[in-house]
Structure formats: C-alpha cells, structure tokens
Amino acid sequence: METYIQEALFILFQLAFIVQLYFLVNNQSRLTEYKPIEQLQPAGIPVSVIISARNEAKNLSENLPAIFNQNYPDFEVVVVNDCSYDKSDLVLEEFEKSYPHLKVVTITEHVRFKTGKKFALTLGIKAAKNEHLLFTDADCAPASADWIARMAANFTNPDVQIVLGYSPYIKAKGFLNAFIRFETVKTAINYLSSAINGDAYMGIGRNLAYTKTLFFGAKGFAAHMHILSGDDDLFVNQNSTPDNTVIEIHEDSFVYTDAKESWSAWFRQKKRHFGVGKIYKARHKRMLSLDALSGFLFYILLTLCLVFNFEPLLAAGLFMFRMIFQVIVYNKLFKRLSGRDLIWYLPFLDLIYYLYLNTFGLIGTFIKTTKWK
C-alpha cells in the first residue's frame, strides 16, 4: 500500500512538472521574443493623464513635476483629489499656478456616501477632455520624459484601445523588497505574455492606457463597482480582445514606485488585490489556478520524494531541468523588467512565490476589504 501511495505521488509530481513546463514554453517564453520599438514613433495624439489621489500630498509634490515636464506636445494632467485631508489641495493649488495643463477634480467626504477609487477615476475620466487616457498613481514616477510618448505611440494603430504598461518597484534593502520585486516581475511576465498570445487578462493601474470610448461603451466600472479593487485588472479582463490590446515594455515607458516597507502594509495591499481574482473570466481563473496549484504541488511533492527517498535522483533531475529552463527563459526577461539581480535568488524566491500565491488565493476567497486607502 505504501508503495502505491509513493508511486501515485510521484506521478502527480511529474504531472505538476509537465504543467509548469507548459506554462514556461507556451506562455512565458513568448515574451522573450517580443522586441519593443527602439525608435520612438511620433504620435501627436492628445492624451489625458489621470491620477486618483487620497492623502498623497507628499507624493504629489515629489512626482507630479516629472509628469508635467514630459516630452509630449499635447497632454493634460487630471488629478482627482479624493477626500484628502492632508493639504493635498494646497499642493495642487500651487501646481496650478505654474502648470496650466493641470486640471483638479475635488471630491469631498459625505457622511452617508462612501466613495472609492473607481468613483474617483470615473469623475476623472468624465473631466478629461481627450479620447486617449493614461493612468498612473500619485506615488509613481515615470522612468523618463518619454513615458507619455511611448505609451501614446501604440494608439497610432486605430484598432488599439488598451495599452498595458509595466511598473516595477524601486530596489531597496531587505527580503520583503526583494520578494515584492520578484512577484512583480513574475506577474508581469504572465500578464504580458498572455496579452501577446491574444488573451490579456489583467493590467496594472500604475501604468495603463485605454480610450474613453471603450470606457463608456463598457459602462465604466458598473459591472464591478461593488468590488473594492479591480479598476485596472477587472476592467482589462472584461474588455480586452485579441485585437484591441497591446503591450509597451520599453524601459523609457516604465513607471517606478516604492514598495511597501512593512509586512502589515504589504499584507493589506495583497488582500485587496487577490479579492478580485474570483471575478475574472472562467478561463483565466482556471489558467491562474492551474499555474499556482501545479507550482505549489511541484515543490511539496519534490520535498516528499527527497525526504522519503522515493526516486530522489529522478526527482532532483526534474527539478534541475525545470530550474535550468527557467533561468534560460527568465534571464533575459528579468533584465528587461528591471529585476536583473533577482535571477540569482530564483530557486528560493520561486518556492516562496508559489506558497504566497496559494496562501493569498485562499485569503482573497474568504476575506473582504472595505477601503482602498
């Protein structure tokens, strides 16, 4: 009986290995073939940059100048001051004196009506004068003065309605920072690869563009206004098609931000994010669940094979094969996505990553959050 159990577990281990290899070959390796356009293409398309900010006075002071001074001929910046009480209004008033292309939308707190980020963004979109909308957050700073130009250039194709950008975290000391950056790169590899394959399932609001026509044609966030998060990934999940979505990952198009510095702050952030996964389209939920579960089982069953000495050499061989293949695929991608240093810690961080996916997947299923900031 014990032999049968061991054989069954080893077969399951091999299946997990095959599934993981499938994701590497069929999905993630496609991104290694993608080459961003090096020569900046003139777009000349009017753009509205939209930022929703709640109590972000310090971040607005530090990051808005890099947005105001972009090398782009025709753009406005719409900042939605969402019920702030930290002197954000004074910061924005000062900026309005120097930057006429700044438009401020102010939301005041109502005792009987609680607003969220989706409501704030909706007001910002309605206030925007341009068809093409580019989104980021107050705590984000563009990597270059060509951020708008890089993102807007994709709209020269009339079929494009959604542009998925990338937003890495700034490198700092400590394990938490390293893991947050690793998780961000891995997540980006997955959603950018899926977009290349014609099946985009998410985007990130720190660097995302779409058209006003698409937004209002889809009735905005109405389908998921009751969900706290999802102004970015749920909107993309529900409105992306193989023809209307492209990616932009030239390093000049990146938008950087600081990672959370405490475990509690990071936990709250991830609890919000994972709560929206259950609203994804069924095929995307199956795909993400299969990746997360197969990765988790791969490491758990590998450990059992080694501990109980059941085909340990073969199990170790499959582990090394997968790891070598990961390094081949990820080496180029981690460099491109501002995670060059993380490749050295791949075996350890990859294990933690799959434990994290399954843990927060369960948390997101059962726990709800009630505020976005």
Side-chain angles (χ1 to χ4, degrees):
M1 184 67 177
E2 181 179 342
T3 301
Y4 289 128
I5 293 175
Q6 289 179 331
E7 290 179 351
L9 291 177
F10 190 70
I11 291 173
L12 187 58
F13 170 68
Q14 293 177 84
L15 289 175
F17 166 78
I18 292 170
V19 172
Q20 284 289 291
L21 204 62
Y22 168 80
F23 279 106
L24 276 168
V25 174
N26 187 67
N27 191 23
Q28 298 171 352
S29 64
R30 302 288 182 90
L31 189 59
T32 62
E33 303 168 3
Y34 176 83
K35 296 182 179 179
I37 299 174
E38 291 297 329
Q39 185 65 37
L40 183 58
Q41 305 296 312
I45 298 171
V47 172
S48 294
V49 178
I50 299 179
I51 301 169
S52 175
R54 177 174 290 185
N55 297 324
E56 297 278 10
K58 182 176 182 293
N59 286 324
L60 290 170
S61 298
E62 294 176 352
N63 298 323
L64 278 182
I67 296 176
F68 291 140
N69 296 310
Q70 287 283 297
N71 293 329
Y72 200 73
D74 190 356
F75 74 99
E76 66 171 353
V77 179
V78 180
V79 177
V80 183
N81 185 12
D82 184 14
C83 306
S84 299
Y85 48 83
D86 68 341
K87 299 184 180 179
S88 291
D89 54 338
L90 301 179
V91 172
L92 293 170
E93 284 176 11
E94 283 300 311
F95 277 130
E96 283 182 304
K97 296 175 183 178
S98 303
Y99 300 99
H101 52 311
L102 169 62
K103 181 182 296 183
V104 178
V105 178
T106 301
I107 303 176
T108 55
E109 193 74 67
H110 194 286
V111 293
R112 299 176 61 185
F113 178 63
K114 300 299 180 181
T115 64
K117 188 175 182 181
K118 291 175 184 176
F119 179 76
L121 288 176
T122 300
L123 293 187
I125 292 169
K126 289 182 176 180
K129 67 179 181 181
N130 297 316
E131 164 70 5
H132 295 89
L133 313 172
L134 178 55
F135 298 86
T136 190
D137 289 339
D139 59 352
C140 298
S144 78
D146 291 324
W147 167 57
I148 295 178
R150 286 283 175 187
M151 295 293 286
N154 293 278
F155 286 120
T156 56
N157 180 343
D159 294 329
V160 172
Q161 293 178 294
I162 301 174
V163 182
L164 307 180
Y166 176 59
S167 177
Y169 286 100
I170 297 170
K171 182 181 178 180
K173 294 181 180 180
F175 171 74
L176 179 59
N177 179 269
F179 180 70
I180 289 174
R181 291 170 56 233
F182 181 86
E183 185 266 337
T184 300
V185 174
K186 281 274 287 189
T187 300
I189 290 173
N190 286 328
Y191 79 76
L192 294 170
S193 297
S194 290
I196 290 176
N197 288 342
D199 192 25
Y201 66 87
M202 67 164 283
I204 50 169
R206 301 191 303 273
N207 197 5
L208 174 67
Y210 50 79
T211 64
K212 186 182 287 190
T213 296
L214 178 67
F215 180 80
F216 287 114
K219 297 182 180 179
F221 305 123
H224 47 86
M225 186 65 81
H226 61 291
I227 304 295
L228 181 67
S229 298
D231 55 277
D232 44 13
D233 55 347
L234 284 182
F235 184 82
V236 172
N237 191 267
Q238 295 181 355
N239 295 290
S240 175
T241 70
D243 299 319
N244 76 350
T245 303
V246 298
I247 71 172
E248 177 54 65
I249 55 171
H250 190 282
E251 61 183 0
D252 287 345
S253 72
F254 292 175
V255 173
Y256 282 86
T257 187
D258 289 311
K260 299 298 183 184
E261 297 181 353
S262 70
W263 289 97
S264 58
W266 175 74
F267 179 82
R268 288 193 298 270
Q269 181 188 55
K270 287 303 170 183
K271 190 171 63 172
R272 289 198 310 269
H273 293 171
F274 272 82
V276 305
K278 55 192 174 185
I279 313 297
Y280 282 8
K281 292 177 181 176
R283 69 175 185 276
H284 296 142
K285 287 190 289 186
R286 288 194 298 268
M287 175 190 68
L288 295 171
S289 297
L290 185 59
D291 179 28
L293 185 59
S294 63
F296 177 76
L297 289 176
F298 177 82
Y299 283 109
I300 295 298
L301 295 172
L302 170 66
T303 302
L304 292 176
C305 287
L306 296 178
V307 169
F308 293 102
N309 200 34
F310 186 74
E311 300 288 355
L313 292 179
L314 183 54
L318 293 178
F319 168 76
M320 289 303 300
F321 183 88
R322 174 179 176 268
M323 185 58 57
I324 291 170
F325 201 91
Q326 278 185 309
V327 171
I328 293 173
V329 173
Y330 289 165
N331 188 46
K332 183 177 180 180
L333 296 179
F334 272 62
K335 290 179 181 178
R336 181 181 291 175
L337 298 176
S338 192
R340 181 193 303 265
D341 60 302
L342 299 171
I343 198 71
W344 298 102
Y345 308 100
L346 179 61
F348 175 65
L349 290 176
D350 194 59
L351 166 62
I352 301 300
Y353 172 77
Y354 281 105
L355 292 174
Y356 145 82
L357 280 185
N358 286 271
T359 300
F360 275 90
L362 289 174
I363 291 173
T365 301
F366 297 108
I367 296 180
K368 296 181 179 180
T369 51
T370 57
K371 59 181 181 178
W372 75 271
K373 203 139 188 83

